[in-house]
Amino acid sequence: PDRFLTWHWETEEEEERGRLNYVPDSKKPNAGTFILGKEDHTMGNLLRHQLLRDPSVRFAGYRIPHPLIFDVHVRVETMDSKLTPINVFESALLDLQLETDILSKTFEAAIAEFDANRV
Amino acid sequence: MISFDLMDTDISMANAVRRIMIAEVPTLCIDLVQFEDNTTVLLDEIIAHRLGLIPIRSNKPGGMESWTFNHACNCDDFCENCSVKFTLDCDFNEMSRNKPEYQNKVAIPVTSNDLICSDPEVQAVNFSNEEDLQQALGTSDGIVIVKLGPGQRLKLQAIAKKGIGKEHAKWSPVATVALKFDPIVKLNEDILDQYSEEQKMSFVDCCPTKVFDFDEYTQSVVIKNPSQCIFCKECIYTLEDFRRAPEDKLAVEIKHSPDKFSFTVETTGALLPKEVVKDALSMLTAKITKLQEAIPALANSEM
């Protein structure tokens, strides 16, 4: 496939359909696979690591089934049915978002401080 | 070029930021070249490839966000919002006439300084920080594109577009991003005391970055600069020679810190390092937000 397809969606509707999908596991309860379109190890590893920090997650792993198909599969299994994989995924994303917000604010503050000291 | 320390986060976040800085922060680069005349020694496509690799800096207010991607733009072909036009017109005979320093030269270099841009706020650069730029403005030669011999001529038009490193490495704004774990260095005093002074001195000397120091007054080894450790394991090899039995513990223990990292970012000049890091962090936030927005649709289809 063309190289720009690693990150470029051809049509908007394809983007809406393909960005995030969920396939529940047919054999186990409380388990499922999230399919993220046009992503790579950057997000896959980040999500998997964050999911593993959640105590209600029994299994979390990610894989890229084929390097020429630009999808990331994240498989999540929770301890019991109080929290479904979707709930756990949502809370992981929320934690990550808060963390990146704090990161960017701290960075901007540090840059401002550095510039002030230099001048 | 800047270096900063990242703390209280984990390695996957540090790696994600590093990956985004390399591959997903957008910049401007020449993407389309139309040749009018090329009698130089290099082929058209090779010159086009070299032109694409030249870093281009835009001083437009708003940074890279003020440019749209060409494929997403509403214009027909190219417009001011999504592309910049460059022209280059170099002729050996003209250049050796007009510029006195080129009078007797055999080969005249065509450099990135000869690329003339239609937008005054955009220019080709070859410096990576502001001090160098200020010092050398007007005196530097620019990046050499090709060298002209007598009678050779190069005339072309080029269009620069916005893109990301994932598509082609020319769009990557960084020269390197170095991510380093901070080391945790611990000395085991009991075992160290068993060694003679000579052994301690050779242990201190074997470290290439001078992490350890020998304190004359107390006749003991102290840790001087733990963060300069480069994990070369020289000290561990030296200590392995010293110990009496293989199952004895080593006197020094060096571990990666799981939550402290140091980044060193060096850019090509297309963007300032602090802009690169800022853009990278905002792109990471945007990615996470987009996934978050897609979740309600999932939940509905689940039910």
Side-chain angles (χ1 to χ4, degrees), chain A residues 3-4 7-8 19 22 24 39-40 42 46 49 53 86 94 97 99-100 103 107-108 111 115, chain B residues 6 9-10 12-13 16 19-20 69 71 164 166-167 274 277-278 284 287-288 290 292 298 302:
Chain A
R3 186 71 194 166
F4 62 87
W7 60 280
H8 173 51
R19 205 171 262 284
Y22 177 68
E39 290 291 347
D40 63 349
T42 311
L46 192 55
H49 199 115
R53 289 162 96 180
I86 295 188
L94 188 65
Q97 188 209 347
E99 203 172 331
T100 44
L103 249 184
F107 183 71
E108 307 226 349
I111 290 267
D115 282 340
Chain B
L6 191 64
T9 181
D10 52 41
S12 61
M13 177 72 81
R19 282 178 69 104
I20 293 188
F69 286 101
H71 51 79
I164 63 175
K166 250 185 177 178
E167 187 176 337
K274 60 181 178 192
V277 183
K278 231 192 292 197
L284 185 55
K287 273 186 189 258
I288 296 176
K290 286 216 175 99
Q292 279 181 318
L298 266 193
E302 250 284 89

Side-chain angles (χ1 to χ4, degrees), chain A residues 21-32:
Chain A
N21 280 319
Y22 177 68
V23 177
D25 198 347
S26 51
K27 296 180 203 151
K28 276 193 178 160
N30 310 321

Side-chain angles (χ1 to χ4, degrees), chain B residues 59-122:
Chain B
N59 292 320
K60 231 173 161 185
M64 284 311 299
E65 309 225 329
S66 54
W67 297 93
T68 49
F69 286 101
N70 178 247
H71 51 79
C73 195
N74 299 327
C75 62
D76 251 340
D77 218 2
F78 298 108
C79 70
E80 291 165 351
N81 294 332
C82 59
S83 56
V84 197
K85 272 213 171 76
F86 285 87
T87 52
L88 186 109
D89 189 359
C90 287
D91 189 344
F92 182 90
N93 302 328
E94 256 184 58
M95 284 174 95
S96 59
R97 260 203 307 262
N98 297 342
K99 297 192 193 173
E101 65 261 23
Y102 289 148
Q103 277 297 349
N104 296 322
K105 288 227 168 168
V106 174
I108 298 181
V110 175
T111 68
S112 59
N113 283 350
D114 298 317
L115 269 176
I116 305 163
C117 179
S118 57
D119 185 341
E121 303 214 317
V122 177

Side-chain angles (χ1 to χ4, degrees), chain B residues 2-282:
Chain B
I2 61 174
S3 4
F4 60 96
D5 287 332
L6 191 64
M7 290 180 265
D8 278 340
T9 181
D10 52 41
I11 175 171
S12 61
M13 177 72 81
N15 197 32
V17 173
R18 182 192 67 90
R19 282 178 69 104
I20 293 188
M21 278 198 258
I22 295 177
E24 301 195 33
V25 177
T27 49
L28 282 174
C29 270
I30 290 181
D31 204 29
L32 219 59
V33 182
Q34 199 170 20
F35 283 87
E36 257 186 58
D37 194 1
N38 175 20
T39 45
T40 61
V41 291
L42 291 181
L43 297 171
D44 286 354
E45 47 263 30
I46 300 196
I47 296 184
H49 178 250
R50 288 179 70 87
L51 284 170
L53 293 172
I54 295 175
I56 296 178
R57 177 163 181 77
S58 140
N59 292 320
K60 231 173 161 185
M64 284 311 299
E65 309 225 329
S66 54
W67 297 93
T68 49
F69 286 101
N70 178 247
H71 51 79
C73 195
N74 299 327
C75 62
D76 251 340
D77 218 2
F78 298 108
C79 70
E80 291 165 351
N81 294 332
C82 59
S83 56
V84 197
K85 272 213 171 76
F86 285 87
T87 52
L88 186 109
D89 189 359
C90 287
D91 189 344
F92 182 90
N93 302 328
E94 256 184 58
M95 284 174 95
S96 59
R97 260 203 307 262
N98 297 342
K99 297 192 193 173
E101 65 261 23
Y102 289 148
Q103 277 297 349
N104 296 322
K105 288 227 168 168
V106 174
I108 298 181
V110 175
T111 68
S112 59
N113 283 350
D114 298 317
L115 269 176
I116 305 163
C117 179
S118 57
D119 185 341
E121 303 214 317
V122 177
Q123 64 194 133
V125 284
N126 45 14
F127 301 106
S128 60
N129 61 26
E130 297 148 337
E131 288 101 44
D132 275 352
L133 190 64
Q134 248 93 36
Q135 276 174 13
L137 216 49
T139 62
S140 95
D141 293 330
I143 303 172
V144 175
I145 301 172
V146 67
K147 290 195 176 176
L148 295 174
Q152 290 176 357
R153 195 168 169 222
L154 181 63
K155 183 163 184 207
L156 53 86
Q157 277 122 36
I159 297 182
K161 293 191 229 165
K162 179 175 168 180
I164 63 175
K166 250 185 177 178
E167 187 176 337
H168 193 288
K170 69 187 178 190
W171 272 296
S172 176
V174 295
T176 50
V177 179
L179 171 57
K180 199 181 103 134
F181 298 100
D182 248 22
I184 300 179
V185 181
K186 275 193 269 197
L187 284 175
N188 191 326
E189 296 290 336
D190 302 327
I191 302 182
L192 264 186
D193 283 338
Q194 296 170 6
Y195 296 144
S196 69
E197 189 180 325
E198 270 176 16
Q199 286 178 317
K200 287 187 199 171
M201 293 284 283
S202 65
F203 170 62
V204 167
D205 287 333
C206 73
C207 179
T209 50
K210 306 275 175 280
V211 173
F212 304 107
D213 203 6
F214 191 74
D215 193 342
E216 293 292 337
Y217 299 120
T218 57
Q219 295 280 307
S220 66
V221 181
V222 292
I223 303 177
K224 196 167 64 162
N225 296 317
S227 53
Q228 279 182 18
C229 176
I230 54 174
F231 304 106
C232 64
K233 292 200 183 169
E234 273 299 317
C235 46
I236 297 187
Y237 295 146
T238 320
L239 287 172
E240 276 176 5
D241 289 335
F242 287 168
R243 65 180 171 182
R244 276 167 263 168
E247 55 282 352
D248 278 352
K249 282 203 292 208
L250 286 172
V252 74
E253 202 183 309
I254 300 193
K255 273 194 303 204
H256 296 286
S257 161
D259 65 348
K260 187 158 187 240
F261 314 97
S262 17
F263 274 83
T264 308
V265 181
E266 185 175 337
T267 65
T268 56
L271 291 171
L272 290 174
K274 60 181 178 192
E275 286 172 9
V276 171
V277 183
K278 231 192 292 197
D279 284 350
L281 289 172
S282 58

